[in-house]
Amino acid sequence: MSYEFYKILHLTALITLFTSLGAIALVAKEKRKPFMILHGVSTLVMLVAGFGLLARIGMAKEFGTWVWLKLIIWLALGAMPVVLRKKPNLTLPVLLFSIALGAAAGSMALFKP
């Protein structure tokens, strides 16, 4: 598959991840299940598409530091629903921190430090 395909898939999963995270934060506890599923699926798709992008740019075997940092951010974003469930009083800080993580991941993808 092409670089463009993986890029669109990765960005679509990113949008879906943040949308589902917002829904998980704001929807009543008994109505969260579909958004939790959507969050999990989008997290997986984002990972697969990210590795597809790495393969297309020739970095499938040798990762730079920025890739490892993005994987850590990916894990943190994947864990956010658990944090929201355990600490519902931290909804706004968790969402703001998630946005900051997304911005950091985006800058790493753009600049590849």
Side-chain angles (χ1 to χ4, degrees):
M1 289 181 230
S2 70
Y3 174 84
E4 291 79 13
F5 172 80
Y6 283 118
K7 186 96 171 195
I8 291 170
L9 189 62
H10 192 69
L11 292 173
T12 302
L14 176 72
I15 293 165
T16 307
L17 182 136
F18 277 99
T19 303
S20 62
L21 190 58
I24 291 166
L26 298 175
V27 173
K29 191 174 185 177
E30 54 277 350
K31 296 182 180 183
R32 286 185 188 166
K33 187 172 182 174
F35 301 110
M36 295 287 281
I37 293 168
L38 191 59
H39 184 270
V41 170
S42 64
T43 304
L44 178 63
V45 171
M46 206 163 120
L47 180 70
V48 171
F51 277 107
L53 285 167
L54 285 174
R56 290 289 158 218
I57 64 172
M59 292 188 70
K61 294 186 180 183
E62 193 173 313
F63 296 157
T65 304
W66 66 275
V67 176
W68 290 108
L69 292 173
K70 282 189 64 143
L71 283 170
I72 292 167
I73 291 171
W74 175 81
L75 285 171
L77 288 172
M80 289 303 165
V82 176
V83 175
L84 287 170
R85 186 183 56 182
K86 300 275 186 187
K87 304 278 186 181
N89 58 325
L90 295 178
T91 299
L92 185 59
V94 166
L95 289 177
L96 292 175
F97 184 63
S98 296
I99 292 168
L101 287 175
S107 67
M108 278 183 254
L110 188 60
F111 299 114
K112 296 175 182 48

mmCIF file of all heavy atoms in Angstrom, residues 11-12 34 50 54 56 60 65-66 72 84 86 92 96 98-99 102 105 109 113:
data_model
loop_
_atom_site.group_PDB
_atom_site.id
_atom_site.type_symbol
_atom_site.label_atom_id
_atom_site.label_comp_id
_atom_site.label_asym_id
_atom_site.label_seq_id
_atom_site.Cartn_x
_atom_site.Cartn_y
_atom_site.Cartn_z
ATOM 1 N N LEU A 11 -4.000 9.407 10.148
ATOM 2 C CA LEU A 11 -4.657 10.649 10.572
ATOM 3 C C LEU A 11 -6.136 10.433 10.900
ATOM 4 O O LEU A 11 -6.652 11.036 11.841
ATOM 5 C CB LEU A 11 -4.490 11.722 9.500
ATOM 6 C CG LEU A 11 -3.051 12.234 9.324
ATOM 7 C CD1 LEU A 11 -2.969 13.175 8.126
ATOM 8 C CD2 LEU A 11 -2.561 12.913 10.585
ATOM 9 N N THR A 12 -6.803 9.569 10.152
ATOM 10 C CA THR A 12 -8.205 9.255 10.445
ATOM 11 C C THR A 12 -8.313 8.568 11.807
ATOM 12 O O THR A 12 -9.206 8.884 12.606
ATOM 13 C CB THR A 12 -8.802 8.371 9.340
ATOM 14 O OG1 THR A 12 -8.686 9.045 8.095
ATOM 15 C CG2 THR A 12 -10.258 8.051 9.620
ATOM 16 N N PRO A 34 -19.562 1.847 23.613
ATOM 17 C CA PRO A 34 -19.218 1.980 22.189
ATOM 18 C C PRO A 34 -18.026 2.907 21.946
ATOM 19 O O PRO A 34 -17.226 2.666 21.041
ATOM 20 C CB PRO A 34 -20.478 2.538 21.536
ATOM 21 C CG PRO A 34 -21.469 2.761 22.597
ATOM 22 C CD PRO A 34 -20.923 2.270 23.887
ATOM 23 N N GLY A 50 0.927 3.602 11.551
ATOM 24 C CA GLY A 50 2.205 4.231 11.872
ATOM 25 C C GLY A 50 3.383 3.360 11.461
ATOM 26 O O GLY A 50 4.362 3.836 10.887
ATOM 27 N N LEU A 54 6.316 3.962 8.670
ATOM 28 C CA LEU A 54 7.742 3.741 8.910
ATOM 29 C C LEU A 54 8.349 2.839 7.830
ATOM 30 O O LEU A 54 9.463 3.076 7.369
ATOM 31 C CB LEU A 54 7.963 3.124 10.291
ATOM 32 C CG LEU A 54 7.805 4.053 11.478
ATOM 33 C CD1 LEU A 54 7.900 3.261 12.778
ATOM 34 C CD2 LEU A 54 8.844 5.145 11.450
ATOM 35 N N ARG A 56 7.331 2.572 4.774
ATOM 36 C CA ARG A 56 7.378 3.324 3.517
ATOM 37 C C ARG A 56 8.524 4.326 3.476
ATOM 38 O O ARG A 56 9.015 4.641 2.404
ATOM 39 C CB ARG A 56 6.054 4.051 3.264
ATOM 40 C CG ARG A 56 4.927 3.131 2.945
ATOM 41 C CD ARG A 56 5.144 2.556 1.565
ATOM 42 N NE ARG A 56 4.395 1.322 1.444
ATOM 43 C CZ ARG A 56 4.818 0.259 0.808
ATOM 44 N NH1 ARG A 56 5.982 0.256 0.230
ATOM 45 N NH2 ARG A 56 4.098 -0.810 0.745
ATOM 46 N N ALA A 60 11.747 0.777 9.003
ATOM 47 C CA ALA A 60 11.077 -0.352 9.650
ATOM 48 C C ALA A 60 12.001 -1.141 10.572
ATOM 49 O O ALA A 60 11.539 -1.771 11.514
ATOM 50 C CB ALA A 60 10.476 -1.273 8.594
ATOM 51 N N THR A 65 14.934 8.020 17.791
ATOM 52 C CA THR A 65 14.424 8.359 19.118
ATOM 53 C C THR A 65 12.992 8.862 19.044
ATOM 54 O O THR A 65 12.163 8.549 19.904
ATOM 55 C CB THR A 65 15.319 9.435 19.768
ATOM 56 O OG1 THR A 65 16.663 8.950 19.786
ATOM 57 C CG2 THR A 65 14.866 9.745 21.178
ATOM 58 N N TRP A 66 12.686 9.618 18.004
ATOM 59 C CA TRP A 66 11.345 10.173 17.865
ATOM 60 C C TRP A 66 10.292 9.067 17.750
ATOM 61 O O TRP A 66 9.174 9.234 18.224
ATOM 62 C CB TRP A 66 11.276 11.139 16.682
ATOM 63 C CG TRP A 66 11.474 10.492 15.341
ATOM 64 C CD1 TRP A 66 12.663 10.234 14.726
ATOM 65 C CD2 TRP A 66 10.456 10.049 14.450
ATOM 66 N NE1 TRP A 66 12.441 9.634 13.502
ATOM 67 C CE2 TRP A 66 11.089 9.513 13.311
ATOM 68 C CE3 TRP A 66 9.063 10.044 14.502
ATOM 69 C CZ2 TRP A 66 10.387 8.976 12.241
ATOM 70 C CZ3 TRP A 66 8.367 9.517 13.431
ATOM 71 C CH2 TRP A 66 9.017 8.992 12.327
ATOM 72 N N ILE A 72 5.687 5.828 23.192
ATOM 73 C CA ILE A 72 5.351 6.125 24.583
ATOM 74 C C ILE A 72 4.095 6.988 24.649
ATOM 75 O O ILE A 72 3.206 6.756 25.474
ATOM 76 C CB ILE A 72 6.548 6.798 25.298
ATOM 77 C CG1 ILE A 72 7.689 5.791 25.446
ATOM 78 C CG2 ILE A 72 6.138 7.379 26.641
ATOM 79 C CD1 ILE A 72 9.006 6.399 25.852
ATOM 80 N N LEU A 84 -9.495 8.230 33.071
ATOM 81 C CA LEU A 84 -10.793 8.910 33.174
ATOM 82 C C LEU A 84 -11.798 8.104 33.995
ATOM 83 O O LEU A 84 -12.617 8.668 34.710
ATOM 84 C CB LEU A 84 -11.358 9.184 31.777
ATOM 85 C CG LEU A 84 -10.660 10.284 30.996
ATOM 86 C CD1 LEU A 84 -11.147 10.300 29.556
ATOM 87 C CD2 LEU A 84 -10.881 11.629 31.656
ATOM 88 N N LYS A 86 -10.991 5.898 36.429
ATOM 89 C CA LYS A 86 -10.550 5.838 37.831
ATOM 90 C C LYS A 86 -10.616 7.195 38.528
ATOM 91 O O LYS A 86 -10.841 7.261 39.733
ATOM 92 C CB LYS A 86 -9.109 5.321 37.909
ATOM 93 C CG LYS A 86 -8.909 3.950 37.348
ATOM 94 C CD LYS A 86 -9.223 2.909 38.375
ATOM 95 C CE LYS A 86 -8.870 1.537 37.796
ATOM 96 N NZ LYS A 86 -9.275 0.469 38.646
ATOM 97 N N LEU A 92 -10.936 17.413 32.794
ATOM 98 C CA LEU A 92 -10.334 18.511 32.034
ATOM 99 C C LEU A 92 -8.806 18.413 31.979
ATOM 100 O O LEU A 92 -8.234 18.515 30.888
ATOM 101 C CB LEU A 92 -10.777 19.867 32.580
ATOM 102 C CG LEU A 92 -10.283 21.075 31.777
ATOM 103 C CD1 LEU A 92 -10.763 21.005 30.331
ATOM 104 C CD2 LEU A 92 -10.726 22.360 32.439
ATOM 105 N N LEU A 96 -6.721 17.998 28.473
ATOM 106 C CA LEU A 96 -5.696 18.971 28.094
ATOM 107 C C LEU A 96 -4.324 18.312 27.946
ATOM 108 O O LEU A 96 -3.570 18.621 27.012
ATOM 109 C CB LEU A 96 -5.635 20.104 29.119
ATOM 110 C CG LEU A 96 -6.863 21.017 29.170
ATOM 111 C CD1 LEU A 96 -6.737 22.025 30.309
ATOM 112 C CD2 LEU A 96 -7.088 21.714 27.845
ATOM 113 N N SER A 98 -3.868 15.217 27.106
ATOM 114 C CA SER A 98 -3.960 14.423 25.869
ATOM 115 C C SER A 98 -3.713 15.295 24.644
ATOM 116 O O SER A 98 -3.030 14.873 23.705
ATOM 117 C CB SER A 98 -5.332 13.754 25.768
ATOM 118 O OG SER A 98 -5.511 12.838 26.817
ATOM 119 N N ILE A 99 -4.251 16.496 24.657
ATOM 120 C CA ILE A 99 -4.024 17.424 23.538
ATOM 121 C C ILE A 99 -2.535 17.774 23.450
ATOM 122 O O ILE A 99 -1.963 17.806 22.358
ATOM 123 C CB ILE A 99 -4.899 18.681 23.697
ATOM 124 C CG1 ILE A 99 -6.375 18.314 23.516
ATOM 125 C CG2 ILE A 99 -4.482 19.765 22.701
ATOM 126 C CD1 ILE A 99 -7.343 19.404 23.931
ATOM 127 N N GLY A 102 -0.744 14.908 21.946
ATOM 128 C CA GLY A 102 -0.979 14.881 20.504
ATOM 129 C C GLY A 102 -0.137 15.908 19.766
ATOM 130 O O GLY A 102 0.417 15.619 18.696
ATOM 131 N N ALA A 105 3.449 14.623 19.691
ATOM 132 C CA ALA A 105 3.602 13.542 18.710
ATOM 133 C C ALA A 105 3.611 14.110 17.291
ATOM 134 O O ALA A 105 4.396 13.668 16.449
ATOM 135 C CB ALA A 105 2.490 12.521 18.866
ATOM 136 N N ALA A 109 6.650 13.873 14.529
ATOM 137 C CA ALA A 109 6.473 13.318 13.187
ATOM 138 C C ALA A 109 6.910 14.311 12.126
ATOM 139 O O ALA A 109 7.467 13.925 11.094
ATOM 140 C CB ALA A 109 5.008 12.931 12.989
ATOM 141 N N PRO A 113 13.100 14.710 15.366
ATOM 142 C CA PRO A 113 14.340 15.088 16.086
ATOM 143 C C PRO A 113 15.182 13.873 16.481
ATOM 144 O O PRO A 113 14.728 12.808 16.626
ATOM 145 C CB PRO A 113 13.810 15.796 17.334
ATOM 146 C CG PRO A 113 12.442 15.275 17.543
ATOM 147 C CD PRO A 113 11.921 14.914 16.176
#
